[in-house]
Amino acid sequence: MPLSTISLHDKQFAPYLTASQITAAVREVAASINRDYAGKQPLFVAVLNGSFMFVADLLKEIQLPCEIAFIRVASYEGTASTGTVREIMGLQEDVAGRDLIILEDIVDTGHTMKSLLELLQAKKPASLEVATLFLKPECLQHELGLRYVGLSIPNDFIVGYGLDYDGLGRNYPDVYTAV
């Protein structure tokens, strides 16, 4: 069944990526992590709220002993980044000496990820990497050395598969772009 345009608040969104395209990207990221962390027990640090679908699907594909922790930060209002990262729910686990992999739904400017990397690096993990489902390379303003990227996409505002527009749209299994 072909995807159709959706309406969220005052905006229209057109189909962009299907659930099967997303699944393929998630499986590729998981395969790379499974290979790179063989014999290790990583701690995944999921960035809420947007990453919840990516995290759930990715961890189903991880074939390693692992743990999951959650952190919540905010940097968006509406369709634009505020440039300021606010920590809403902090990490409770002791991460010193652990292999950490941050799980993020999307990296665009990189402000949020840069702040998270600095915050977590200060806690002295054994290693620290990032796995993001989406990367917007033309927006990126920081050198982050992202090791695991599902899909590089243009600088368009997207919703679905965990990503929202002022709270709406996270529930769609496909991804839509603003028109």
Side-chain angles (χ1 to χ4, degrees), residues 57-90:
D57 289 345
L58 180 78
L59 288 181
K60 290 174 196 173
E61 301 292 330
I62 295 297
Q63 299 169 354
L64 309 164
C66 64
E67 294 177 61
I68 181 78
F70 299 90
I71 189 167
R72 186 170 179 206
V73 296
S75 65
Y76 261 77
E77 288 179 11
T79 62
S81 176
T82 63
T84 303
V85 176
R86 295 179 296 123
E87 188 173 335
I88 298 168
M89 182 179 83

Side-chain angles (χ1 to χ4, degrees), residues 161-178:
Y161 198 75
L163 294 119
D164 74 305
Y165 171 43
D166 280 345
L168 296 180
R170 292 189 194 278
N171 58 305
Y172 292 99
D174 305 293
V175 171
Y176 296 80
T177 186

Side-chain angles (χ1 to χ4, degrees), residues 104 106-108 110 113 117 129-132 134-136 140 142-149:
E104 178 67 291
I106 189 165
V107 174
D108 45 33
M113 191 52 60
L117 287 166
E129 298 293 344
V130 175
T132 184
F134 300 112
L135 172 65
K136 294 182 178 180
L140 199 57
H142 303 279
E143 180 56 47
L144 299 174
L146 301 176
R147 187 165 181 180
Y148 306 104
V149 175

Side-chain angles (χ1 to χ4, degrees), residues 3 11 23 32 35 66 74 89 94 105 111 119 130 154 166 171:
L3 302 177
K11 295 199 178 305
T23 297
S32 294
R35 180 189 65 243
C66 64
M89 182 179 83
D94 179 11
D105 55 348
H111 296 316
L119 172 80
V130 175
D166 280 345
N171 58 305

